[in-house]
Protein backbone atom coordinates (compact mmCIF):
# COMPACT_ATOMS: atom_id res chain seq x y z
CA UNK A 1 0.00 0.00 0.00
CA UNK A 2 2.92 2.33 0.22
CA UNK A 3 2.91 2.74 -3.51
CA UNK A 4 -0.70 3.81 -3.59
CA UNK A 5 -0.05 6.30 -0.83
CA UNK A 6 2.89 7.70 -2.84
CA UNK A 7 0.72 8.07 -5.94
CA UNK A 8 -1.96 9.82 -3.91
CA UNK A 9 0.59 12.28 -2.51
CA UNK A 10 2.05 12.95 -5.97
CA UNK A 11 -1.40 13.52 -7.37
CA UNK A 12 -2.27 15.93 -4.57
CA UNK A 13 0.99 17.84 -5.16
CA UNK A 14 0.20 18.17 -8.89
CA UNK A 15 -3.33 19.42 -8.16
CA UNK A 16 -1.97 21.75 -5.45
CA UNK A 17 0.60 23.21 -7.88
CA UNK A 18 -2.15 23.71 -10.46
CA UNK A 19 -4.34 25.46 -7.90
CA UNK A 20 -1.43 27.67 -6.84
CA UNK A 21 -0.64 28.60 -10.48
CA UNK A 22 -4.31 29.37 -11.20
CA UNK A 23 -4.51 31.48 -8.03
CA UNK A 24 -1.40 33.45 -9.01
CA UNK A 25 -2.75 34.12 -12.54
CA UNK A 26 -6.15 35.13 -11.18
CA UNK A 27 -4.53 37.61 -8.76
CA UNK A 28 -2.45 39.11 -11.61
CA UNK A 29 -5.52 39.54 -13.80
CA UNK A 30 -7.65 40.89 -10.95
CA UNK A 31 -5.00 43.42 -9.97
CA UNK A 32 -4.99 45.13 -13.40
CA UNK A 33 -8.27 47.05 -12.97
CA UNK A 34 -7.31 48.01 -9.43
CA UNK A 35 -3.90 49.24 -10.62
CA UNK A 36 -5.59 51.42 -13.24
CA UNK A 37 -8.14 52.69 -10.71
CA UNK A 38 -5.36 53.60 -8.25
CA UNK A 39 -3.46 55.40 -11.00
CA UNK A 40 -6.59 57.27 -12.09
CA UNK A 41 -7.39 58.17 -8.49
CA UNK A 42 -3.92 59.60 -7.91
CA UNK A 43 -4.05 61.61 -11.16
CA UNK A 44 -7.55 62.88 -10.38
CA UNK A 45 -6.27 64.22 -7.06
CA UNK A 46 -3.77 66.34 -8.96
CA UNK A 47 -6.58 68.35 -10.54
CA UNK A 48 -9.09 70.50 -8.78
CA UNK A 49 -12.61 70.88 -10.07
CA UNK A 50 -11.77 74.45 -11.13
CA UNK A 51 -8.79 73.21 -13.12
CA UNK A 52 -10.90 70.53 -14.77
CA UNK A 53 -13.60 73.11 -15.62
CA UNK A 54 -10.98 75.48 -17.03
CA UNK A 55 -9.51 72.74 -19.22
CA UNK A 56 -12.96 71.65 -20.38
CA UNK A 57 -13.96 75.21 -21.25
CA UNK A 58 -10.66 75.69 -23.09
CA UNK A 59 -11.24 72.59 -25.19
CA UNK A 60 -14.84 73.58 -25.78
CA UNK A 61 -13.90 77.13 -26.83
CA UNK A 62 -11.27 75.77 -29.19
CA UNK A 63 -13.75 73.38 -30.77
CA UNK A 64 -16.37 76.07 -31.36
CA UNK A 65 -13.77 78.51 -32.70
CA UNK A 66 -12.74 75.89 -35.23
CA UNK A 67 -16.39 75.36 -36.18
CA UNK A 68 -16.88 79.12 -36.62
CA UNK A 69 -13.74 79.29 -38.77
CA UNK A 70 -15.05 76.42 -40.88
CA UNK A 71 -18.41 78.20 -41.24
CA UNK A 72 -16.65 81.39 -42.33
CA UNK A 73 -14.64 79.51 -44.93
CA UNK A 74 -17.81 77.81 -46.14
CA UNK A 75 -19.53 81.22 -46.36
CA UNK A 76 -16.68 82.60 -48.48
CA UNK A 77 -16.83 79.61 -50.76
CA UNK A 78 -20.61 79.89 -51.11
CA UNK A 79 -20.32 83.65 -51.78
CA UNK A 80 -17.78 83.06 -54.55
CA UNK A 81 -19.99 80.39 -56.04
CA UNK A 82 -23.07 82.65 -55.97
CA UNK A 83 -21.09 85.49 -57.58
CA UNK A 84 -19.97 83.19 -60.38
CA UNK A 85 -23.51 81.94 -60.91
CA UNK A 86 -24.89 85.49 -60.98
CA UNK A 87 -22.22 86.52 -63.50
CA UNK A 88 -22.98 83.56 -65.72
CA UNK A 89 -26.71 84.25 -65.46
CA UNK A 90 -26.18 87.92 -66.42
CA UNK A 91 -23.98 86.90 -69.35
CA UNK A 92 -26.60 84.36 -70.40
CA UNK A 93 -29.35 86.99 -70.18
CA UNK A 94 -27.26 89.38 -72.31
CA UNK A 95 -26.68 86.66 -74.87
CA UNK A 96 -30.41 85.88 -74.97
CA UNK A 97 -31.24 89.58 -75.38
CA UNK A 98 -28.75 89.92 -78.26
CA UNK A 99 -30.13 86.81 -79.92
CA UNK A 100 -33.68 88.15 -79.53
CA UNK A 101 -32.66 91.43 -81.17
CA UNK A 102 -31.01 89.54 -84.02
CA UNK A 103 -34.14 87.44 -84.51
CA UNK A 104 -36.32 90.57 -84.41
CA UNK A 105 -34.12 92.31 -87.00
CA UNK A 106 -34.17 89.23 -89.22
CA UNK A 107 -37.96 89.02 -88.90
CA UNK A 108 -38.33 92.67 -89.88
CA UNK A 109 -36.06 92.17 -92.90
CA UNK A 110 -38.01 89.06 -93.92
CA UNK A 111 -41.29 90.91 -93.53
CA UNK A 112 -40.07 93.74 -95.75
CA UNK A 113 -38.91 91.36 -98.47
CA UNK A 114 -42.24 89.50 -98.51
CA UNK A 115 -44.62 92.49 -98.46
CA UNK A 116 -45.87 93.53 -101.96
CA UNK A 117 -44.59 96.85 -103.08
CA UNK A 118 -47.25 99.50 -103.26
CA UNK A 119 -47.47 101.09 -106.66
CA UNK A 120 -46.26 104.64 -106.77
CA UNK A 121 -49.04 107.23 -107.04
CA UNK A 122 -49.44 108.26 -110.68
CA UNK A 123 -49.81 111.81 -111.57
CA UNK A 124 -52.70 112.30 -113.83
CA UNK A 125 -52.05 114.99 -116.35
CA UNK A 126 -54.82 116.29 -118.45
CA UNK A 127 -54.07 116.60 -122.09
CA UNK A 128 -53.88 120.04 -123.08
CA UNK A 129 -54.73 120.71 -126.58
CA UNK A 130 -53.64 123.88 -127.93
CA UNK A 131 -56.16 125.96 -129.70
CA UNK A 132 -53.89 126.31 -132.67
CA UNK A 133 -53.72 122.64 -133.14
CA UNK A 134 -57.47 122.39 -133.05
CA UNK A 135 -57.82 125.22 -135.51
CA UNK A 136 -55.44 123.71 -137.93
CA UNK A 137 -57.23 120.45 -137.92
CA UNK A 138 -60.60 122.15 -138.19
CA UNK A 139 -59.71 124.31 -141.20
CA UNK A 140 -58.22 121.62 -143.20
Amino acid sequence: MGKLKSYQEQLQEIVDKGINAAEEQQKKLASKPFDYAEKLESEAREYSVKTLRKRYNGYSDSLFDQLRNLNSRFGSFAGDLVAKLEKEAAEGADAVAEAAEDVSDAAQDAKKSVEPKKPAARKTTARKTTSTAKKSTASA
Side-chain angles (χ1 to χ4, degrees):
M1 282 255 199
K3 273 188 161 184
L4 286 178
K5 182 81 171 164
S6 173
Y7 288 144
Q8 177 196 358
E9 288 173 359
Q10 285 179 358
L11 187 59
Q12 280 182 322
E13 281 180 37
I14 291 171
V15 171
D16 200 32
K17 284 181 184 178
I19 291 172
N20 290 339
E23 182 182 22
E24 186 178 325
Q25 287 300 318
Q26 190 274 336
K27 285 182 181 180
K28 281 183 183 178
L29 289 173
S31 71
K32 294 280 185 192
F34 293 108
D35 291 342
Y36 288 126
E38 288 172 357
K39 184 177 179 182
L40 180 64
E41 182 182 36
S42 68
E43 288 179 2
R45 287 182 187 156
E46 292 176 13
Y47 300 107
S48 68
V49 173
K50 287 183 180 181
T51 306
L52 290 173
R53 181 186 303 260
K54 188 175 180 179
R55 281 189 174 199
Y56 171 80
N57 288 337
Y59 293 138
S60 179
D61 291 344
S62 175
L63 171 68
F64 289 109
D65 286 344
Q66 289 176 358
L67 289 173
R68 285 184 187 93
N69 184 22
L70 179 64
N71 186 37
S72 175
R73 289 174 60 194
F74 177 75
S76 287
F77 173 75
D80 291 345
L81 185 61
V82 167
K84 285 179 184 177
L85 289 173
E86 285 178 343
K87 181 181 176 186
E88 288 179 13
E91 289 172 355
D94 290 344
V96 167
E98 286 178 22
E101 285 179 25
D102 291 345
V103 167
S104 177
D105 291 345
Q108 291 297 327
D109 291 343
K111 183 178 178 183
K112 287 178 184 176
S113 68
V114 173
E115 284 183 351
K117 292 185 179 179
K118 293 181 181 177
R122 292 187 189 174
K123 292 183 181 177
T124 54
T125 54
R127 275 194 172 163
K128 292 182 182 178
T129 55
T130 58
S131 55
T132 55
K134 283 186 182 178
K135 289 180 184 174
S136 64
T137 53
S139 55

